Amino acid sequence: MDEQTQIELEAAAFRRLRKHLMEDRTDVQNIDMMNLAGFCRNCLSRWYQEAANERGIDMGKDEAREIYYGMTMAEWKANHQTEASAAQQDAFKVSFAQNVGDKG
């Protein structure tokens, strides 16, 4: 497979993952994703931001999140986020430290 085709397939897979998380499974909470998989929608938006910054594109966290989410974080939270339990929050602290550390 040539490099351009690989890039296009990877981009298509990313777009499909984004659609799945943003449209098909809005019921899945970021905290649960982070606790189970070590990443969440915010991580994906941060990776998008980091890729843009590496290419000289000035993009902040809020802008990257709005691009990834297709709305502001306030809108996402109001429409889809539920209150996290104490157990979820405790597990998140561990997962965040292991997977994100001081990059968050």
Side-chain angles (χ1 to χ4, degrees), residues 36-77:
L36 293 171
F39 79 98
C40 67
R41 293 171 184 90
N42 292 335
C43 295
L44 290 165
S45 70
R46 187 182 79 246
W47 298 338
Y48 187 93
Q49 174 195 2
E50 290 170 355
N53 293 162
E54 287 170 5
R55 286 159 182 78
I57 300 167
D58 185 31
M59 181 181 297
K61 179 171 76 172
D62 292 337
E63 182 182 0
R65 284 184 175 179
E66 192 165 341
I67 290 168
Y68 185 81
Y69 280 81
M71 62 185 76
T72 66
M73 279 301 300
E75 291 171 307
W76 174 266
K77 288 178 180 183

mmCIF file of all heavy atoms in Angstrom, residues 36-77:
data_model
loop_
_atom_site.group_PDB
_atom_site.id
_atom_site.type_symbol
_atom_site.label_atom_id
_atom_site.label_comp_id
_atom_site.label_asym_id
_atom_site.label_seq_id
_atom_site.Cartn_x
_atom_site.Cartn_y
_atom_site.Cartn_z
ATOM 1 N N LEU A 36 -11.808 3.025 31.278
ATOM 2 C CA LEU A 36 -11.682 1.706 30.654
ATOM 3 C C LEU A 36 -10.587 1.633 29.597
ATOM 4 O O LEU A 36 -9.894 0.626 29.469
ATOM 5 C CB LEU A 36 -13.016 1.291 30.027
ATOM 6 C CG LEU A 36 -14.154 1.026 31.006
ATOM 7 C CD1 LEU A 36 -15.473 0.844 30.258
ATOM 8 C CD2 LEU A 36 -13.850 -0.198 31.860
ATOM 9 N N ALA A 37 -10.443 2.686 28.813
ATOM 10 C CA ALA A 37 -9.547 2.628 27.656
ATOM 11 C C ALA A 37 -8.312 3.521 27.768
ATOM 12 O O ALA A 37 -7.382 3.392 26.977
ATOM 13 C CB ALA A 37 -10.318 3.000 26.389
ATOM 14 N N GLY A 38 -8.341 4.434 28.731
ATOM 15 C CA GLY A 38 -7.188 5.321 28.884
ATOM 16 C C GLY A 38 -7.196 6.516 27.948
ATOM 17 O O GLY A 38 -6.205 7.232 27.846
ATOM 18 N N PHE A 39 -8.301 6.742 27.249
ATOM 19 C CA PHE A 39 -8.463 7.931 26.419
ATOM 20 C C PHE A 39 -9.948 8.234 26.295
ATOM 21 O O PHE A 39 -10.790 7.388 26.577
ATOM 22 C CB PHE A 39 -7.837 7.754 25.028
ATOM 23 C CG PHE A 39 -8.686 6.950 24.075
ATOM 24 C CD1 PHE A 39 -9.496 7.585 23.140
ATOM 25 C CD2 PHE A 39 -8.684 5.566 24.123
ATOM 26 C CE1 PHE A 39 -10.290 6.846 22.269
ATOM 27 C CE2 PHE A 39 -9.463 4.818 23.256
ATOM 28 C CZ PHE A 39 -10.265 5.452 22.326
ATOM 29 N N CYS A 40 -10.252 9.458 25.883
ATOM 30 C CA CYS A 40 -11.652 9.863 25.718
ATOM 31 C C CYS A 40 -11.740 10.876 24.576
ATOM 32 O O CYS A 40 -10.760 11.124 23.882
ATOM 33 C CB CYS A 40 -12.200 10.446 27.024
ATOM 34 S SG CYS A 40 -11.433 12.017 27.498
ATOM 35 N N ARG A 41 -12.892 11.443 24.406
ATOM 36 C CA ARG A 41 -13.081 12.437 23.346
ATOM 37 C C ARG A 41 -12.137 13.619 23.534
ATOM 38 O O ARG A 41 -11.606 14.167 22.560
ATOM 39 C CB ARG A 41 -14.535 12.915 23.336
ATOM 40 C CG ARG A 41 -15.529 11.857 22.938
ATOM 41 C CD ARG A 41 -16.967 12.379 23.174
ATOM 42 N NE ARG A 41 -17.960 11.373 22.900
ATOM 43 C CZ ARG A 41 -18.420 10.508 23.817
ATOM 44 N NH1 ARG A 41 -17.959 10.544 25.065
ATOM 45 N NH2 ARG A 41 -19.330 9.615 23.488
ATOM 46 N N ASN A 42 -11.928 14.038 24.788
ATOM 47 C CA ASN A 42 -11.021 15.161 25.043
ATOM 48 C C ASN A 42 -9.599 14.818 24.628
ATOM 49 O O ASN A 42 -8.877 15.681 24.113
ATOM 50 C CB ASN A 42 -11.059 15.557 26.519
ATOM 51 C CG ASN A 42 -12.391 16.155 26.906
ATOM 52 O OD1 ASN A 42 -13.122 16.703 26.088
ATOM 53 N ND2 ASN A 42 -12.723 16.051 28.183
ATOM 54 N N CYS A 43 -9.181 13.574 24.845
ATOM 55 C CA CYS A 43 -7.854 13.146 24.401
ATOM 56 C C CYS A 43 -7.756 13.240 22.888
ATOM 57 O O CYS A 43 -6.751 13.720 22.349
ATOM 58 C CB CYS A 43 -7.578 11.711 24.853
ATOM 59 S SG CYS A 43 -7.482 11.490 26.644
ATOM 60 N N LEU A 44 -8.781 12.776 22.200
ATOM 61 C CA LEU A 44 -8.771 12.834 20.737
ATOM 62 C C LEU A 44 -8.677 14.275 20.256
ATOM 63 O O LEU A 44 -7.927 14.578 19.318
ATOM 64 C CB LEU A 44 -10.016 12.141 20.168
ATOM 65 C CG LEU A 44 -10.025 10.623 20.327
ATOM 66 C CD1 LEU A 44 -11.430 10.079 20.071
ATOM 67 C CD2 LEU A 44 -9.024 9.977 19.398
ATOM 68 N N SER A 45 -9.397 15.180 20.906
ATOM 69 C CA SER A 45 -9.317 16.582 20.497
ATOM 70 C C SER A 45 -7.941 17.151 20.823
ATOM 71 O O SER A 45 -7.412 17.962 20.063
ATOM 72 C CB SER A 45 -10.428 17.415 21.147
ATOM 73 O OG SER A 45 -10.229 17.573 22.535
ATOM 74 N N ARG A 46 -7.330 16.709 21.936
ATOM 75 C CA ARG A 46 -5.983 17.170 22.280
ATOM 76 C C ARG A 46 -4.973 16.659 21.264
ATOM 77 O O ARG A 46 -4.073 17.386 20.835
ATOM 78 C CB ARG A 46 -5.599 16.723 23.694
ATOM 79 C CG ARG A 46 -4.269 17.347 24.148
ATOM 80 C CD ARG A 46 -3.825 16.886 25.529
ATOM 81 N NE ARG A 46 -3.223 15.564 25.419
ATOM 82 C CZ ARG A 46 -3.728 14.449 25.945
ATOM 83 N NH1 ARG A 46 -4.843 14.482 26.638
ATOM 84 N NH2 ARG A 46 -3.113 13.293 25.791
ATOM 85 N N TRP A 47 -5.102 15.409 20.845
ATOM 86 C CA TRP A 47 -4.184 14.856 19.840
ATOM 87 C C TRP A 47 -4.329 15.612 18.520
ATOM 88 O O TRP A 47 -3.357 15.834 17.808
ATOM 89 C CB TRP A 47 -4.433 13.365 19.657
ATOM 90 C CG TRP A 47 -4.183 12.563 20.908
ATOM 91 C CD1 TRP A 47 -3.405 12.913 21.982
ATOM 92 C CD2 TRP A 47 -4.731 11.290 21.215
ATOM 93 N NE1 TRP A 47 -3.445 11.926 22.938
ATOM 94 C CE2 TRP A 47 -4.249 10.916 22.499
ATOM 95 C CE3 TRP A 47 -5.590 10.417 20.557
ATOM 96 C CZ2 TRP A 47 -4.598 9.718 23.100
ATOM 97 C CZ3 TRP A 47 -5.927 9.226 21.166
ATOM 98 C CH2 TRP A 47 -5.429 8.880 22.417
ATOM 99 N N TYR A 48 -5.546 16.009 18.189
ATOM 100 C CA TYR A 48 -5.809 16.812 16.997
ATOM 101 C C TYR A 48 -5.087 18.157 17.129
ATOM 102 O O TYR A 48 -4.397 18.603 16.201
ATOM 103 C CB TYR A 48 -7.329 17.005 16.861
ATOM 104 C CG TYR A 48 -7.786 17.669 15.597
ATOM 105 C CD1 TYR A 48 -8.153 16.912 14.484
ATOM 106 C CD2 TYR A 48 -7.901 19.051 15.521
ATOM 107 C CE1 TYR A 48 -8.603 17.525 13.324
ATOM 108 C CE2 TYR A 48 -8.353 19.660 14.364
ATOM 109 C CZ TYR A 48 -8.705 18.900 13.270
ATOM 110 O OH TYR A 48 -9.154 19.502 12.128
ATOM 111 N N GLN A 49 -5.222 18.781 18.300
ATOM 112 C CA GLN A 49 -4.560 20.055 18.564
ATOM 113 C C GLN A 49 -3.049 19.909 18.473
ATOM 114 O O GLN A 49 -2.370 20.740 17.845
ATOM 115 C CB GLN A 49 -4.939 20.565 19.954
ATOM 116 C CG GLN A 49 -4.181 21.805 20.374
ATOM 117 C CD GLN A 49 -4.290 22.092 21.853
ATOM 118 O OE1 GLN A 49 -4.894 21.357 22.618
ATOM 119 N NE2 GLN A 49 -3.675 23.180 22.283
ATOM 120 N N GLU A 50 -2.509 18.870 19.085
ATOM 121 C CA GLU A 50 -1.064 18.647 19.044
ATOM 122 C C GLU A 50 -0.574 18.464 17.612
ATOM 123 O O GLU A 50 0.484 18.999 17.236
ATOM 124 C CB GLU A 50 -0.685 17.436 19.891
ATOM 125 C CG GLU A 50 -0.844 17.678 21.388
ATOM 126 C CD GLU A 50 -0.714 16.415 22.227
ATOM 127 O OE1 GLU A 50 -0.589 15.296 21.661
ATOM 128 O OE2 GLU A 50 -0.747 16.539 23.469
ATOM 129 N N ALA A 51 -1.312 17.723 16.797
ATOM 130 C CA ALA A 51 -0.934 17.528 15.397
ATOM 131 C C ALA A 51 -0.944 18.855 14.647
ATOM 132 O O ALA A 51 -0.043 19.130 13.841
ATOM 133 C CB ALA A 51 -1.870 16.518 14.726
ATOM 134 N N ALA A 52 -1.949 19.685 14.923
ATOM 135 C CA ALA A 52 -2.013 20.999 14.285
ATOM 136 C C ALA A 52 -0.832 21.857 14.717
ATOM 137 O O ALA A 52 -0.151 22.468 13.873
ATOM 138 C CB ALA A 52 -3.332 21.696 14.632
ATOM 139 N N ASN A 53 -0.566 21.893 16.011
ATOM 140 C CA ASN A 53 0.544 22.703 16.526
ATOM 141 C C ASN A 53 1.884 22.246 15.962
ATOM 142 O O ASN A 53 2.741 23.077 15.641
ATOM 143 C CB ASN A 53 0.578 22.657 18.052
ATOM 144 C CG ASN A 53 -0.612 23.337 18.724
ATOM 145 O OD1 ASN A 53 -0.870 23.091 19.897
ATOM 146 N ND2 ASN A 53 -1.362 24.159 18.011
ATOM 147 N N GLU A 54 2.073 20.926 15.825
ATOM 148 C CA GLU A 54 3.320 20.393 15.257
ATOM 149 C C GLU A 54 3.515 20.847 13.817
ATOM 150 O O GLU A 54 4.648 20.897 13.328
ATOM 151 C CB GLU A 54 3.319 18.863 15.313
ATOM 152 C CG GLU A 54 3.509 18.304 16.709
ATOM 153 C CD GLU A 54 3.260 16.802 16.793
ATOM 154 O OE1 GLU A 54 3.028 16.152 15.741
ATOM 155 O OE2 GLU A 54 3.287 16.284 17.920
ATOM 156 N N ARG A 55 2.430 21.155 13.149
ATOM 157 C CA ARG A 55 2.500 21.599 11.753
ATOM 158 C C ARG A 55 2.469 23.121 11.632
ATOM 159 O O ARG A 55 2.268 23.670 10.561
ATOM 160 C CB ARG A 55 1.359 20.972 10.961
ATOM 161 C CG ARG A 55 1.615 19.488 10.701
ATOM 162 C CD ARG A 55 0.352 18.732 10.391
ATOM 163 N NE ARG A 55 0.610 17.315 10.197
ATOM 164 C CZ ARG A 55 0.821 16.432 11.177
ATOM 165 N NH1 ARG A 55 0.807 16.826 12.435
ATOM 166 N NH2 ARG A 55 1.051 15.160 10.927
ATOM 167 N N GLY A 56 2.633 23.804 12.768
ATOM 168 C CA GLY A 56 2.687 25.261 12.755
ATOM 169 C C GLY A 56 1.329 25.939 12.740
ATOM 170 O O GLY A 56 1.245 27.138 12.509
ATOM 171 N N ILE A 57 0.274 25.187 12.976
ATOM 172 C CA ILE A 57 -1.076 25.758 13.028
ATOM 173 C C ILE A 57 -1.378 26.117 14.478
ATOM 174 O O ILE A 57 -1.350 25.253 15.355
ATOM 175 C CB ILE A 57 -2.125 24.760 12.493
ATOM 176 C CG1 ILE A 57 -1.812 24.396 11.037
ATOM 177 C CG2 ILE A 57 -3.540 25.319 12.646
ATOM 178 C CD1 ILE A 57 -2.591 23.205 10.513
ATOM 179 N N ASP A 58 -1.650 27.385 14.729
ATOM 180 C CA ASP A 58 -1.936 27.841 16.085
ATOM 181 C C ASP A 58 -3.359 27.430 16.454
ATOM 182 O O ASP A 58 -4.324 27.923 15.864
ATOM 183 C CB ASP A 58 -1.768 29.365 16.160
ATOM 184 C CG ASP A 58 -1.931 29.894 17.566
ATOM 185 O OD1 ASP A 58 -1.586 29.162 18.526
ATOM 186 O OD2 ASP A 58 -2.392 31.043 17.715
ATOM 187 N N MET A 59 -3.475 26.499 17.393
ATOM 188 C CA MET A 59 -4.780 26.004 17.809
ATOM 189 C C MET A 59 -4.734 25.731 19.302
ATOM 190 O O MET A 59 -3.846 25.026 19.783
ATOM 191 C CB MET A 59 -5.140 24.717 17.058
ATOM 192 C CG MET A 59 -6.500 24.151 17.414
ATOM 193 S SD MET A 59 -6.877 22.617 16.533
ATOM 194 C CE MET A 59 -6.893 23.191 14.839
ATOM 195 N N GLY A 60 -5.669 26.302 20.022
ATOM 196 C CA GLY A 60 -5.752 26.082 21.457
ATOM 197 C C GLY A 60 -6.686 24.931 21.793
ATOM 198 O O GLY A 60 -7.364 24.373 20.926
ATOM 199 N N LYS A 61 -6.730 24.584 23.075
ATOM 200 C CA LYS A 61 -7.534 23.464 23.554
ATOM 201 C C LYS A 61 -9.018 23.663 23.243
ATOM 202 O O LYS A 61 -9.672 22.751 22.746
ATOM 203 C CB LYS A 61 -7.321 23.276 25.056
ATOM 204 C CG LYS A 61 -8.134 22.151 25.647
ATOM 205 C CD LYS A 61 -7.752 21.851 27.089
ATOM 206 C CE LYS A 61 -8.288 22.872 28.039
ATOM 207 N NZ LYS A 61 -8.078 22.494 29.463
ATOM 208 N N ASP A 62 -9.545 24.837 23.550
ATOM 209 C CA ASP A 62 -10.972 25.076 23.326
ATOM 210 C C ASP A 62 -11.339 24.995 21.847
ATOM 211 O O ASP A 62 -12.374 24.433 21.492
ATOM 212 C CB ASP A 62 -11.400 26.428 23.897
ATOM 213 C CG ASP A 62 -11.352 26.456 25.424
ATOM 214 O OD1 ASP A 62 -11.418 25.381 26.047
ATOM 215 O OD2 ASP A 62 -11.235 27.564 25.981
ATOM 216 N N GLU A 63 -10.485 25.557 20.994
ATOM 217 C CA GLU A 63 -10.744 25.505 19.556
ATOM 218 C C GLU A 63 -10.717 24.066 19.049
ATOM 219 O O GLU A 63 -11.584 23.649 18.275
ATOM 220 C CB GLU A 63 -9.713 26.343 18.801
ATOM 221 C CG GLU A 63 -9.949 26.389 17.306
ATOM 222 C CD GLU A 63 -8.888 27.182 16.561
ATOM 223 O OE1 GLU A 63 -7.946 27.710 17.182
ATOM 224 O OE2 GLU A 63 -9.019 27.266 15.329
ATOM 225 N N ALA A 64 -9.732 23.291 19.507
ATOM 226 C CA ALA A 64 -9.631 21.892 19.085
ATOM 227 C C ALA A 64 -10.849 21.104 19.548
ATOM 228 O O ALA A 64 -11.394 20.285 18.798
ATOM 229 C CB ALA A 64 -8.356 21.265 19.629
ATOM 230 N N ARG A 65 -11.290 21.343 20.769
ATOM 231 C CA ARG A 65 -12.474 20.637 21.275
ATOM 232 C C ARG A 65 -13.708 21.001 20.460
ATOM 233 O O ARG A 65 -14.514 20.139 20.128
ATOM 234 C CB ARG A 65 -12.699 20.950 22.749
ATOM 235 C CG ARG A 65 -11.740 20.209 23.650
ATOM 236 C CD ARG A 65 -12.050 20.459 25.100
ATOM 237 N NE ARG A 65 -11.197 19.649 25.960
ATOM 238 C CZ ARG A 65 -11.231 19.676 27.274
ATOM 239 N NH1 ARG A 65 -12.084 20.471 27.896
ATOM 240 N NH2 ARG A 65 -10.418 18.908 27.968
ATOM 241 N N GLU A 66 -13.859 22.268 20.145
ATOM 242 C CA GLU A 66 -15.030 22.676 19.361
ATOM 243 C C GLU A 66 -15.000 22.054 17.971
ATOM 244 O O GLU A 66 -16.031 21.633 17.455
ATOM 245 C CB GLU A 66 -15.125 24.193 19.284
ATOM 246 C CG GLU A 66 -16.453 24.661 18.731
ATOM 247 C CD GLU A 66 -16.734 26.125 18.965
ATOM 248 O OE1 GLU A 66 -16.109 26.745 19.837
ATOM 249 O OE2 GLU A 66 -17.604 26.654 18.245
ATOM 250 N N ILE A 67 -13.824 21.960 17.366
ATOM 251 C CA ILE A 67 -13.702 21.311 16.062
ATOM 252 C C ILE A 67 -14.060 19.835 16.188
ATOM 253 O O ILE A 67 -14.841 19.298 15.404
ATOM 254 C CB ILE A 67 -12.282 21.485 15.485
ATOM 255 C CG1 ILE A 67 -12.051 22.940 15.074
ATOM 256 C CG2 ILE A 67 -12.046 20.545 14.301
ATOM 257 C CD1 ILE A 67 -10.597 23.275 14.771
ATOM 258 N N TYR A 68 -13.497 19.163 17.202
ATOM 259 C CA TYR A 68 -13.748 17.727 17.360
ATOM 260 C C TYR A 68 -15.198 17.441 17.742
ATOM 261 O O TYR A 68 -15.850 16.584 17.155
ATOM 262 C CB TYR A 68 -12.800 17.112 18.399
ATOM 263 C CG TYR A 68 -12.981 15.626 18.470
ATOM 264 C CD1 TYR A 68 -12.372 14.798 17.541
ATOM 265 C CD2 TYR A 68 -13.832 15.046 19.403
ATOM 266 C CE1 TYR A 68 -12.588 13.435 17.548
ATOM 267 C CE2 TYR A 68 -14.044 13.687 19.421
ATOM 268 C CZ TYR A 68 -13.426 12.886 18.503
ATOM 269 O OH TYR A 68 -13.658 11.544 18.503
ATOM 270 N N TYR A 69 -15.708 18.168 18.721
ATOM 271 C CA TYR A 69 -17.066 17.931 19.204
ATOM 272 C C TYR A 69 -18.139 18.461 18.252
ATOM 273 O O TYR A 69 -19.280 18.025 18.306
ATOM 274 C CB TYR A 69 -17.264 18.584 20.578
ATOM 275 C CG TYR A 69 -16.701 17.796 21.738
ATOM 276 C CD1 TYR A 69 -15.355 17.840 22.073
ATOM 277 C CD2 TYR A 69 -17.526 17.004 22.516
ATOM 278 C CE1 TYR A 69 -14.844 17.125 23.137
ATOM 279 C CE2 TYR A 69 -17.037 16.291 23.594
ATOM 280 C CZ TYR A 69 -15.690 16.352 23.897
ATOM 281 O OH TYR A 69 -15.198 15.636 24.955
ATOM 282 N N GLY A 70 -17.776 19.428 17.434
ATOM 283 C CA GLY A 70 -18.771 20.038 16.557
ATOM 284 C C GLY A 70 -19.668 21.009 17.304
ATOM 285 O O GLY A 70 -20.711 21.440 16.802
ATOM 286 N N MET A 71 -19.264 21.357 18.501
ATOM 287 C CA MET A 71 -19.998 22.286 19.368
ATOM 288 C C MET A 71 -19.062 22.669 20.500
ATOM 289 O O MET A 71 -17.999 22.069 20.658
ATOM 290 C CB MET A 71 -21.275 21.636 19.917
ATOM 291 C CG MET A 71 -21.025 20.422 20.792
ATOM 292 S SD MET A 71 -22.523 19.549 21.328
ATOM 293 C CE MET A 71 -22.958 18.685 19.820
ATOM 294 N N THR A 72 -19.466 23.639 21.300
ATOM 295 C CA THR A 72 -18.641 24.003 22.449
ATOM 296 C C THR A 72 -18.742 22.915 23.512
ATOM 297 O O THR A 72 -19.689 22.109 23.510
ATOM 298 C CB THR A 72 -19.107 25.331 23.065
ATOM 299 O OG1 THR A 72 -20.417 25.159 23.610
ATOM 300 C CG2 THR A 72 -19.091 26.469 22.039
ATOM 301 N N MET A 73 -17.768 22.896 24.407
ATOM 302 C CA MET A 73 -17.816 21.928 25.505
ATOM 303 C C MET A 73 -19.046 22.167 26.369
ATOM 304 O O MET A 73 -19.654 21.216 26.859
ATOM 305 C CB MET A 73 -16.550 22.022 26.365
ATOM 306 C CG MET A 73 -15.360 21.288 25.797
ATOM 307 S SD MET A 73 -15.637 19.508 25.547
ATOM 308 C CE MET A 73 -15.991 18.958 27.198
ATOM 309 N N ALA A 74 -19.412 23.410 26.564
ATOM 310 C CA ALA A 74 -20.603 23.717 27.363
ATOM 311 C C ALA A 74 -21.852 23.092 26.732
ATOM 312 O O ALA A 74 -22.693 22.524 27.437
ATOM 313 C CB ALA A 74 -20.772 25.227 27.511
ATOM 314 N N GLU A 75 -21.954 23.171 25.402
ATOM 315 C CA GLU A 75 -23.097 22.559 24.718
ATOM 316 C C GLU A 75 -23.069 21.036 24.860
ATOM 317 O O GLU A 75 -24.102 20.411 25.117
ATOM 318 C CB GLU A 75 -23.094 22.937 23.231
ATOM 319 C CG GLU A 75 -23.405 24.392 22.976
ATOM 320 C CD GLU A 75 -23.180 24.774 21.523
ATOM 321 O OE1 GLU A 75 -22.074 24.517 20.991
ATOM 322 O OE2 GLU A 75 -24.124 25.332 20.934
ATOM 323 N N TRP A 76 -21.889 20.428 24.680
ATOM 324 C CA TRP A 76 -21.777 18.972 24.810
ATOM 325 C C TRP A 76 -22.196 18.535 26.209
ATOM 326 O O TRP A 76 -22.977 17.608 26.378
ATOM 327 C CB TRP A 76 -20.348 18.502 24.508
ATOM 328 C CG TRP A 76 -20.180 17.043 24.767
ATOM 329 C CD1 TRP A 76 -19.720 16.452 25.910
ATOM 330 C CD2 TRP A 76 -20.552 15.966 23.900
ATOM 331 N NE1 TRP A 76 -19.750 15.091 25.793
ATOM 332 C CE2 TRP A 76 -20.262 14.767 24.575
ATOM 333 C CE3 TRP A 76 -21.085 15.906 22.617
ATOM 334 C CZ2 TRP A 76 -20.491 13.521 24.006
ATOM 335 C CZ3 TRP A 76 -21.309 14.663 22.058
ATOM 336 C CH2 TRP A 76 -21.012 13.489 22.747
ATOM 337 N N LYS A 77 -21.653 19.203 27.206
ATOM 338 C CA LYS A 77 -21.964 18.842 28.589
ATOM 339 C C LYS A 77 -23.453 18.973 28.868
ATOM 340 O O LYS A 77 -24.047 18.102 29.512
ATOM 341 C CB LYS A 77 -21.158 19.697 29.560
ATOM 342 C CG LYS A 77 -19.687 19.328 29.600
ATOM 343 C CD LYS A 77 -18.920 20.236 30.554
ATOM 344 C CE LYS A 77 -17.450 19.859 30.600
ATOM 345 N NZ LYS A 77 -16.702 20.672 31.560
#
